[in-house]
Amino acid sequence: MNKNVALIGVSGYAGTILYQLLKNHPKVGTITLYGHRDVGKHLSEIQPDLVQYGQVDPVINQFDPQKIMKEADAAFFASSAGVTNQIAGTLIEADFPVIDLSGDYRLSDPKSYEKWYKKPAAKADDLKKATYGLCEFHPKLSRYVANPGCYATATLLGLAPVVLNNLIDLDSIIVDAKSGVSGAGKKLAPGSAFMTVNENLTVYKANRHQHIPEIVQELKNWNPQLRSIQFTTTLLPITRGIMATIYAHVAKGIQDPEKIISQAFIDTYEDKPFIKLHGSNLPSIKDAAYSNLDAIGWQYNPVTGVILIVSVIDNLLKGAAGQAVQNFNMMFGFNERIGLPIVPIMI
Amino acid sequence: MNKNVALIGVSGYAGTILYQLLKNHPKVGTITLYGHRDVGKHLSEIQPDLVQYGQVDPVINQFDPQKIMKEADAAFFASSAGVTNQIAGTLIEADFPVIDLSGDYRLSDPKSYEKWYKKPAAKADDLKKATYGLCEFHPKLSRYVANPGCYATATLLGLAPVVLNNLIDLDSIIVDAKSGVSGAGKKLAPGSAFMTVNENLTVYKANRHQHIPEIVQELKNWNPQLRSIQFTTTLLPITRGIMATIYAHVAKGIQDPEKIISQAFIDTYEDKPFIKLHGSNLPSIKDAAYSNLDAIGWQYNPVTGVILIVSVIDNLLKGAAGQAVQNFNMMFGFNERIGLPIVPIMI
Amino acid sequence: MNKNVALIGVSGYAGTILYQLLKNHPKVGTITLYGHRDVGKHLSEIQPDLVQYGQVDPVINQFDPQKIMKEADAAFFASSAGVTNQIAGTLIEADFPVIDLSGDYRLSDPKSYEKWYKKPAAKADDLKKATYGLCEFHPKLSRYVANPGCYATATLLGLAPVVLNNLIDLDSIIVDAKSGVSGAGKKLAPGSAFMTVNENLTVYKANRHQHIPEIVQELKNWNPQLRSIQFTTTLLPITRGIMATIYAHVAKGIQDPEKIISQAFIDTYEDKPFIKLHGSNLPSIKDAAYSNLDAIGWQYNPVTGVILIVSVIDNLLKGAAGQAVQNFNMMFGFNERIGLPIVPIMI
Amino acid sequence: MNKNVALIGVSGYAGTILYQLLKNHPKVGTITLYGHRDVGKHLSEIQPDLVQYGQVDPVINQFDPQKIMKEADAAFFASSAGVTNQIAGTLIEADFPVIDLSGDYRLSDPKSYEKWYKKPAAKADDLKKATYGLCEFHPKLSRYVANPGCYATATLLGLAPVVLNNLIDLDSIIVDAKSGVSGAGKKLAPGSAFMTVNENLTVYKANRHQHIPEIVQELKNWNPQLRSIQFTTTLLPITRGIMATIYAHVAKGIQDPEKIISQAFIDTYEDKPFIKLHGSNLPSIKDAAYSNLDAIGWQYNPVTGVILIVSVIDNLLKGAAGQAVQNFNMMFGFNERIGLPIVPIMI
């Protein structure tokens, strides 16, 4: 039976993409939109291209948790960090199915949230309820999901096989991550002006990006001996896509690292429909862009003993709205792949 | 007194830029062009935009070492790797001033050349004569200069202060380098087609780029304990510029690494006109593009103990033709800065 | 009932997109691939990203018209101009349903074909059978369709309302058309190298583009007094999309041209699902890119008496594979919209 | 003897480029900077890349016309439209040499200025004094110069030969002009965000751009029968450069238009160092970008009787700061070419 959904926040990039995915999702019934600034407006007034000939043009409703719980089967929050945790509490506490795309419920430690986000944290009890929604690694049927950050998704999926299987020196992880401009959101800023970004490359927030603590939290869940990672974020002159280029020294005593590591990737992901293993043929951003895939390749360097892992995703799909839909599919026991693009746009 | 120069190879990107620099150089007299394929043609037939209203339109001459030694004071080779070492021997053996932009004379070990370039090496005696022309680190008045590779220049200038001063764990160096498409030269290839590069990011030749051995050779000259580096090359969807993002663990026992490292950069480069130190304010590619600068920034991470160094250059200027002119200036005792752009094109 | 289809040519851009559309089309059964160069290979060897986890990996078969007529309900030719008309004749003459994406059957006059394409034309009888497949203007259930060119589609759909309704001076039409690089196909050429296209804009084939004769042919069908058009093609530094910027003097004697012209657009297109009328709010390429839409806007200038029409499409969808599927839908009496993206990718 | 100059406004793109040109100009002595917002700051605080190793770091002074007239030989205004005419009056009325890069003194009719710029106009007497500084068409030694707009420069230089020589139907001129994003200035706006511009093409201000009246004013000076032009402005996804694609019907009765028109271009421009005639080989934006050139090509279409003219410039050089320096050279009787780049950056 189809599920009716509430979507809170449709004006940002993730919300826009999420609306499109939900509209074409065969198991989604009615989609009701909620917001703040644009309450009362029709969607076509905010996003003219989203509403086409002969289609319904929905209205943005004032956020109303009671109405949502009465009319919908699940709520997607595509509102900003710091906003979601002001409004989602009622639903969480009533145990209503929620998928939150902001960072507000990803960190289980409120102090860590306040340190990295510089905003008040959600209630500690609500944080405890949340499942960190990295789909390939959490149980199905979770009730309340914190959808992972885009950088975190690419990094964690790239590192999982070698961290879970103790194949690397845990103190040697270095992530040189790069993102297209859509990752920065819609707010006007000098750093995302065409004149700044075009024909340029800029490192920003090195070791200060707010996705670092969720990465470290999950890595520690997988391997408690891990302490920290070196993490650099770089702005690419493209619209969509993330590449996480990951380096680590292979752990001492591993025989035939090339074979062992390859086997770890295969074992970890062989039944995961959205993980595309490239082996030593490293993937480009276009191998994942505009799909829900994470394309992963790796090369072991016997001279330095370093394993290089390249993990690429579309930051707005597997890194946001696509993974949210994948979480929705898992929450209700649907096939994970339903409603999600599996072929990248190569052209 | 002005110097007359011979330029062998003007059709590639480095040759084209070099011709423009030499034409505007106040200490250069006549420029005579030499080549193979286009012998007898006028420059305007190969590069219409290079010859403007009322200017001389030079002819491409058949390469002739005797003529060069008679008429010129120095020869620039902007011919390809594997071509230069077929033709430059006569000049080198006669001790005539030569600046070679190809990779043919950079590696002192012929076997290493043959391994990485897959071509026959120059004579061992000729290789011994060559100075590796990283201007900030070699003596003036060298007679025969092998101009460094673009990736090598950015990487070596970024690493020098910490390697020379023993500030890092030499086995921990990881370089995540990125280059614009002009670095790939003019040859048509699927990998440099607009349709492949635009809206994309691709790792290529990881640990297999031919600039790796010259980097390791120089680092070993500076610090013989160094054994190897991890080196990744990535193709950016831009025309000009290289960023080398460099990681290394700070050596054990360094007190106050932030201060010590900063001081090492200042001490190493304080009188170097083409090194622009950005401190912890990491440079973007536009801080160096279209200039002969290397802009360098660094950040120490006390959590991981890793020093991050970002070194950016214009691959065709400081990474090729600009450094060749800087070498020319040094060879003849001119001011290093003559004839070289020192302000990047930011707009 | 589902239709089985043959697809001849899957390695070019249009063929690749067409394969993806057909795979997701709810009324398409089996898709059999045919080709020349790659016969016997699996699709994944030519286009690795097209074949995903758990999907069938079809083989490229040698072209075989008898097999096609026996097993399939329709054939799509995504082969090149000059190739299609060497091989499609058997199917056409047997009255088998064919949709040809090349230019080989668009011009009813073989001499015109030979003049513009510089290749031998198809048989005159076969040419007569073809319907020019501009979907908004031809009868349903055509048996044999020549799918229009990308520039022609954008131009004709922009001009139709004013030409059909005699609203402009027919000798004054000027089309300044611009296309992304995918329009040039996959062949390596200096003109489509990243280094040439990036940060550039180039007029090419002004008044010599092979889509001009099909545009003039159709305009004459609509209004026999038309003689010729001025047509400029310009290469944009983007991957996908065409903008046709169209100018014409409004015909003498039209009262209130602004109102009359707007009404003509509305009347012509009000029931056409893939035409998105923007009125005086001129569309950008992103209003159509990655969809099967043609987005059209117009502005009348009372000072000059000129009507400006801006028509934008995705060159590979509405300008090629999308329109081919739309033609397929019409040919078999399906809803025109089935299997076609109607929302552009704005982000 | 060198001239000392005052530069009012260095924070915008044109001011930044102008400062760089003046610094390298062999006939310029001291450059004193003036401004409003940034008074008291050092240049390096506003534009770090402009001040390099060992160079003077000038201070921004409060605008002071008496100081300027006492210390300088000429003043460049790179302040905004609506600002210049509030402050430049004192200099103009004292007959002090002024070159204004804003639009404030280009239109001789104050009413036209107020209509198009929606701001109060300069005094009618001051407007009368100004020379419209299209260098190729005004007398040397002008005392007070209104530097032309970027779109106007490309359009007027493209049209001059055919308008001055009565070769076209004056009511048929259509200009389809395209500009890189730097033409929009530095102000943050959704329309110049990377996410909007990248992979897109947008028509803006069709028939409403404020450069239209200065174009029409000059065309009427050349040929009073001209009434108006159709003018479209289009935003390109590039940083620098303008292409004006110009169409007009050749006047009735012209014999051998191809020859006559080519001769008109040659006669008009044969001694102009910054006009590069391409004949029928139409120029691309890269044939002029980063130089002070206007590269012009043309093609006559005998089928339609239309002449197509393509005129390309760098919007910030020949379209702003470069032409300002060219005007400065002419004002003081220097060689027009001094201090100006004449070779485009092709790579």
Side-chain angles (χ1 to χ4, degrees), chain C residues 171-172 174-176 178 195-196 198-203 206-207 228-230 232 234 236-240 243 245 247 249 282-286 299 301 303-304 306 308 310 346-347, chain D residues 171-172 174-176 178 195-196 198-203 206-207 228-230 232 234 236-240 243 245 247 249 282-286 299 301 303-304 306 308 310 346-347:
Chain C
D171 281 338
S172 73
I174 287 171
V175 182
D176 193 281
K178 299 95 172 168
M195 290 292 293
T196 309
N198 186 44
E199 294 295 291
N200 204 1
L201 189 74
T202 300
V203 174
N207 298 312
S228 60
I229 60 166
Q230 175 78 11
T232 301
T234 313
L236 293 172
I238 68 174
T239 292
R240 297 268 288 257
M243 179 182 284
T245 311
Y247 303 90
H249 279 81
L282 304 175
S284 298
I285 274 184
K286 281 199 173 178
Q299 287 184 8
N301 182 351
V303 178
T304 57
V306 169
L308 160 69
V310 174
M346 302 159 286
I347 301 164
Chain D
D171 281 337
S172 73
I174 287 171
V175 182
D176 193 280
K178 299 95 171 169
M195 291 291 293
T196 309
N198 186 44
E199 294 295 290
N200 204 1
L201 189 74
T202 300
V203 174
N207 299 312
S228 61
I229 60 168
Q230 175 78 12
T232 301
T234 313
L236 294 171
I238 67 174
T239 292
R240 297 267 288 256
M243 178 182 284
T245 312
Y247 303 90
H249 279 83
L282 304 175
S284 297
I285 274 185
K286 280 199 173 178
Q299 287 185 7
N301 182 351
V303 178
T304 57
V306 168
L308 160 69
V310 174
M346 301 158 286
I347 302 164

Side-chain angles (χ1 to χ4, degrees), chain B residues 5 8 11 15 20 25 34 39 50 77 82 97 101 133 164 170-171 190 232 256 267 299 304 311 332:
Chain B
V5 300
I8 299 96
S11 59
Q20 290 176 270
H25 194 291
Y34 295 90
V39 168
L50 273 185
F77 285 84
L101 282 76
L164 284 164
L170 292 171
D171 281 337
T232 302
D256 198 351
D267 292 348
Q299 287 185 8
T304 56
S311 171
F332 290 102

Side-chain angles (χ1 to χ4, degrees), chain C residues 6-29:
Chain C
L7 169 54
I8 299 97
V10 74
S11 59
Y13 294 133
T16 299
I17 303 274
L18 185 52
Y19 176 74
Q20 290 175 271
L21 292 174
L22 293 172
K23 273 213 59 171
N24 292 310
H25 194 293
K27 297 291 185 185
V28 169

Side-chain angles (χ1 to χ4, degrees), chain B residues 20-196:
Chain B
Q20 290 176 270
L21 292 174
L22 293 171
K23 273 213 60 172
N24 293 308
H25 194 291
K27 297 291 186 185
V28 169
T30 61
I31 307 165
T32 312
L33 303 180
Y34 295 90
H36 281 279
R37 271 178 313 184
D38 298 315
V39 168
K41 286 193 189 164
H42 281 268
L43 180 56
S44 64
E45 296 171 73
I46 315 171
Q47 303 265 29
D49 285 336
L50 273 185
V51 183
Q52 295 297 333
Y53 177 82
Q55 292 187 345
V56 173
D57 184 4
V59 168
I60 314 294
N61 298 282
Q62 179 65 47
F63 177 70
D64 178 349
Q66 299 310 325
K67 185 169 182 291
I68 290 173
M69 289 193 282
K70 202 165 123 198
E71 298 177 357
D73 298 297
F76 290 90
F77 285 84
S79 35
S80 311
V83 170
T84 304
N85 68 20
Q86 302 287 315
I87 59 177
T90 314
L91 299 176
I92 296 167
E93 285 150 32
D95 213 31
F96 184 82
V98 163
I99 296 167
D100 174 26
L101 282 76
S102 87
D104 279 3
Y105 293 88
R106 291 180 199 151
L107 302 179
S108 52
D109 176 1
K111 280 184 208 146
S112 177
Y113 179 86
E114 287 171 2
K115 174 185 162 194
W116 289 89
Y117 286 82
K118 299 180 173 49
K119 295 177 179 176
K123 288 186 201 164
D125 280 0
D126 293 356
L127 289 177
K128 270 181 211 144
K129 284 193 176 175
T131 297
Y132 186 75
L134 191 69
C135 299
E136 284 69 21
F137 292 94
H138 76 79
K140 294 194 178 194
L141 307 175
S142 304
R143 199 80 180 143
Y144 179 45
V145 171
N147 207 54
C150 49
Y151 277 121
T153 298
T155 302
L156 288 167
L157 293 174
L159 275 168
V162 294
V163 169
L164 284 164
N165 293 288
N166 272 309
L167 300 177
I168 57 167
D169 171 356
L170 292 171
D171 281 337
S172 72
I173 298 172
I174 287 171
V175 182
D176 192 280
K178 299 96 173 168
S179 173
V181 183
S182 58
K186 259 190 188 168
K187 216 184 142 197
L188 284 184
S192 55
F194 184 85
M195 290 292 293
T196 309

